[in-house]
Amino acid sequence: VQLVESGGGSVQSGESLRLSCAASGLTDSGHSGFCMAWFRQFPGKEREGVASIDTPDPGSPNPTHRPTTYADSVKGRFTISQDNAAKTLFLQMNDLKPEDTAMYYCAADLEPLSPLDHQWYSYWGRGTQVTVS
């Protein structure tokens, strides 16, 4: 499994950024349903969950339903989404604030019991820096 983030950068407060995460290998190993998420890490702190999205097994009763979860700090400003093939994960970040400045990571796993807890994720990208001034 490979996850490669892009889209980070430096912006002014109130501006927007869109992060992308190109995923490969998640379904190649026989995985069906899985969960993908964005985390961020501040210097000296643990990674914190930002948003997650479930990609259900194609054989499930409602395979197009993709539940999402958001951290309270980003609700109403950030939106997580995937392309239809679930090969690319996005994070649309609007109304950015200086406190959003962090390294942002894409993560994936089969069925994390807690979708915004980094301990439940096995696969990680290398991260992309977001700086808001």
Side-chain angles (χ1 to χ4, degrees), residues 37-82:
W38 288 99
F39 287 80
R40 62 187 180 185
Q41 189 166 21
F42 306 109
K45 302 284 188 180
E46 279 196 350
R47 290 180 188 183
E48 67 173 37
V50 175
S52 71
I53 185 167
D54 285 331
T55 303
D57 186 326
S60 66
N62 193 357
T64 60
H65 178 54
R66 300 186 184 182
T68 57
T69 306
Y70 292 93
D72 289 343
S73 58
V74 305
K75 279 180 184 175
R77 299 189 299 124
F78 291 11
T79 303
I80 190 170
S81 63
Q82 287 172 313

Side-chain angles (χ1 to χ4, degrees), residues 14-130:
E15 293 185 341
S16 300
L17 277 175
R18 190 191 197 204
L19 305 184
S20 299
C21 172
S24 60
L26 277 170
T27 54
D28 293 350
S29 302
H31 301 154
S32 51
F34 53 90
C35 182
M36 296 188 74
W38 288 99
F39 287 80
R40 62 187 180 185
Q41 189 166 21
F42 306 109
K45 302 284 188 180
E46 279 196 350
R47 290 180 188 183
E48 67 173 37
V50 175
S52 71
I53 185 167
D54 285 331
T55 303
D57 186 326
S60 66
N62 193 357
T64 60
H65 178 54
R66 300 186 184 182
T68 57
T69 306
Y70 292 93
D72 289 343
S73 58
V74 305
K75 279 180 184 175
R77 299 189 299 124
F78 291 11
T79 303
I80 190 170
S81 63
Q82 287 172 313
D83 65 343
N84 285 339
K87 297 286 189 183
T88 307
L89 182 72
F90 302 101
L91 184 69
Q92 178 66 42
M93 305 186 294
N94 297 330
D95 189 24
L96 281 161
K97 307 174 187 296
E99 52 264 40
D100 295 317
T101 295
M103 183 71 80
Y104 283 72
Y105 296 90
C106 173
D109 213 302
L110 296 182
E111 292 184 19
L113 291 184
S114 181
L116 294 184
D117 186 339
H118 67 91
Q119 299 179 75
W120 293 102
Y121 288 84
S122 301
Y123 306 112
W124 291 88
R126 292 193 170 191
T128 185
Q129 178 68 37
V130 171

